[in-house]
Amino acid sequence: MTIEDLSGMGPLVARLGRAGQRFRHADRARPWVLDTAVVALVLLLFCLPDLLHAVGSIDGDHEGPRRFRLVFTRLPVAGMLALQAGLVLPLLWRRRAPAAAFGAVTAVFVLQWSLGAALRADVALFVALYSLALHGRLRQLPWACAVSAGALGLVAARVSAAVSAWDALFFLLSTATAALALGLVIRIRRAQLAGLRDRAARLEIERDQRDRLAVAAERARVAREMHDIVGHNLSVIITLADAGAYAAGAAPERGKEALHLIGDAGRQALGELRRVLGVLREADGPPAEPALSPQPGLTDIDALCEAVRAAGLEVVYRTAGDIDALDSGVQLTVYRIVQEALTNSLKHAGAGARANLAVVVEDTRLTITVQDSGPPDPAGRPRTANEEGHGLVGMRERAALYGGRVSASPAGAGWTVRVDLDLTPQDGAR
């Protein structure tokens, strides 16, 4: 076979595949058509020749050698038609009730050979056995094989006067085995294809589920980022606006400074919002704006503390350990937790309070501690543990990414937040 011949097989195989698919669809829609076609084919190929020979014998013709005429009984046309109908017509329900069809065909087959008659329509027994192996229950096959062997043994005994009984039995059992094996092979192949289709459907469902989970996780991440950005900057802006309004009459310069700080905080919030929401937009062409700034890290905590100090909360910040070796994911988590904790201190302790911030790295543990002094007004009270808002929930979600935990409790007139993170690399992270 040449290369040209091989290259030309592609369209042919594709056409055959499409034809087979159309045939299967048509068969599922009208299964009686195929069953009727099989019966008609058996009648045409195997029953009609026997009828023609029977009519010729009536006219005086002799059929076959003398030894075969002595072995087989010559049936009248009516009896032959009855036996042929009993052998072939049960094939109409060979797929809907394969066991019943096999039983009916076998019964007529045994009756026919008990009378000593030989018919070409006996091929219906092998068709029924094939259909039982393909469509029937597997536990029915052992008794079907035993019944078939007994019926074929009767045939071998009947023809022993003409041919060797062992040769006849070998040929008949080989044919029955081939029919049985063909049915089982096609059945196994169909089961494998059904399993592959089911697996493909499950994989498609799992892929869709993974996509939905990824979308949900991304939405949750964006929601946390939005909460941290908006909550922190709005708290700073509100505090500065209140301070500016108070100082507008007594110290206009302080009010002007507060307005500048409000503008800086607003621009910072706007820049961070653009960076977070930028991942949700699909760019059709090259970006017209400069590249977005990277995610904040530990180096940005100093600027965060300065912004909080400008809002009126005194912040004392210290670090310990090798914080520069932390990866960007850990640094972003630490920054957002510190941002949320300082925002809560600014919101509940207010201007004039003091907050101590500590970030400590020890081996594979990282500890964040934020402790504020509480409101300067002696009447002020720290909120109790049952008043937790979304801020603490967000901190716990971020800490959980690194196997950490968050504790928040009153400390004198103020409030203390402590976060412990596990920096041990996960499996496969090395």
Side-chain angles (χ1 to χ4, degrees):
M1 182 177 292
T2 64
I3 297 178
E4 289 77 6
D5 296 333
L6 290 174
S7 61
M9 290 180 64
L12 176 61
V13 172
R15 285 195 294 269
L16 290 176
R18 287 192 295 268
Q21 188 175 8
R22 287 195 295 269
F23 176 78
R24 287 191 294 270
H25 288 323
D27 183 49
R28 282 194 292 266
R30 297 179 179 84
W32 59 269
V33 174
L34 179 61
D35 296 334
T36 305
V38 170
V39 172
L41 186 64
V42 173
L43 288 173
L44 181 63
L45 295 180
F46 299 101
C47 296
L48 187 60
D50 282 338
L51 290 174
L52 295 177
H53 284 300
V55 172
S57 298
I58 293 175
D59 294 337
D61 295 337
H62 297 284
E63 180 184 356
R66 176 178 177 79
R67 58 176 181 171
F68 286 106
R69 296 200 305 270
L70 294 175
V71 171
F72 300 129
T73 301
R74 182 176 301 169
L75 294 173
V77 175
M80 183 180 296
L81 285 174
L83 290 175
Q84 287 179 342
L87 289 171
V88 177
L89 292 183
L91 297 181
L92 287 172
W93 65 83
R94 65 184 182 87
R95 293 194 293 180
R96 289 170 291 173
F102 175 79
V105 171
T106 304
V108 177
F109 183 86
V110 172
L111 174 62
Q112 168 209 323
W113 281 98
S114 299
L115 297 175
L119 297 174
R120 291 180 175 87
D122 290 337
V123 72
L125 177 66
F126 303 114
V127 176
L129 182 61
Y130 158 81
S131 300
L132 181 63
L134 179 57
H135 303 290
R137 299 177 181 177
L138 293 178
R139 64 171 179 267
Q140 296 172 342
L141 288 182
W143 68 260
C145 293
V147 171
S148 299
L152 297 178
L154 175 62
V155 176
R158 276 288 185 179
V159 301
S160 60
V163 296
S164 170
W166 292 109
D167 292 342
L169 187 61
F170 174 79
F171 172 76
L172 293 172
L173 290 180
S174 298
T175 306
T177 302
L180 181 68
L182 180 61
L184 289 176
V185 167
I186 297 178
R187 183 184 189 131
I188 293 172
R189 178 59 178 170
R190 289 182 179 179
Q192 289 176 342
L193 291 176
L196 290 175
R197 285 192 294 267
D198 181 66
R199 184 171 181 268
R202 287 201 313 270
L203 290 176
E204 186 174 357
I205 293 174
E206 291 175 0
R207 182 198 63 191
D208 294 339
Q209 290 177 343
R210 286 195 300 268
D211 292 343
R212 287 194 293 269
L213 289 175
V215 170
E218 182 64 16
R219 286 178 177 174
R221 185 190 70 81
V222 172
R224 287 196 301 268
E225 294 286 326
M226 294 284 291
H227 173 271
D228 294 339
I229 294 170
V230 175
H232 167 73
N233 288 284
L234 282 182
S235 296
V236 173
I237 290 173
I238 291 171
T239 303
L240 289 172
D242 292 339
Y246 176 78
E253 292 298 326
R254 296 287 296 174
K256 183 178 180 181
E257 181 183 356
L259 291 177
H260 285 300
L261 292 175
I262 289 174
D264 293 338
R267 281 187 291 272
Q268 179 183 358
L270 182 61
E272 293 190 8
L273 286 176
R274 285 177 175 173
R275 173 179 51 77
V276 173
L277 298 179
V279 300
L280 302 180
R281 296 195 300 265
E282 294 181 357
D284 296 330
E289 297 181 357
L292 299 174
S293 60
Q295 293 276 30
L298 293 182
T299 57
D300 299 294
I301 293 182
D302 290 326
L304 175 65
C305 293
E306 289 297 330
V308 175
R309 292 189 189 103
L313 179 66
E314 182 182 355
V315 180
V316 178
Y317 172 44
R318 70 178 184 87
T319 61
D322 189 8
I323 62 173
D324 295 332
L326 300 177
D327 61 56
S328 58
V330 176
Q331 293 194 31
L332 175 62
T333 298
V334 173
Y335 179 88
R336 291 306 185 194
I337 291 175
V338 169
Q339 184 183 49
E340 183 61 40
L342 291 178
T343 300
N344 288 340
S345 297
L346 180 62
K347 184 187 305 181
H348 297 284
R354 175 189 176 93
N356 293 318
L357 167 63
V359 179
V360 179
V361 177
E362 294 179 352
D363 296 331
T364 59
R365 306 296 302 181
L366 186 147
T367 304
I368 306 170
T369 305
V370 180
Q371 181 178 5
D372 62 65
S373 60
D377 184 4
R381 294 289 185 271
R383 59 190 174 95
T384 57
N386 60 358
E387 294 176 337
E388 292 185 4
H390 296 289
L392 287 176
V393 174
M395 283 192 281
R396 289 195 176 99
E397 290 178 353
R398 290 186 180 277
L401 297 176
Y402 294 92
R405 57 184 182 275
V406 179
S407 60
S409 59
W415 194 264
T416 299
V417 175
R418 179 182 175 89
V419 181
D420 293 316
L421 302 181
D422 185 6
L423 304 180
T424 303
Q426 301 294 323
D427 294 339
R430 295 183 181 275

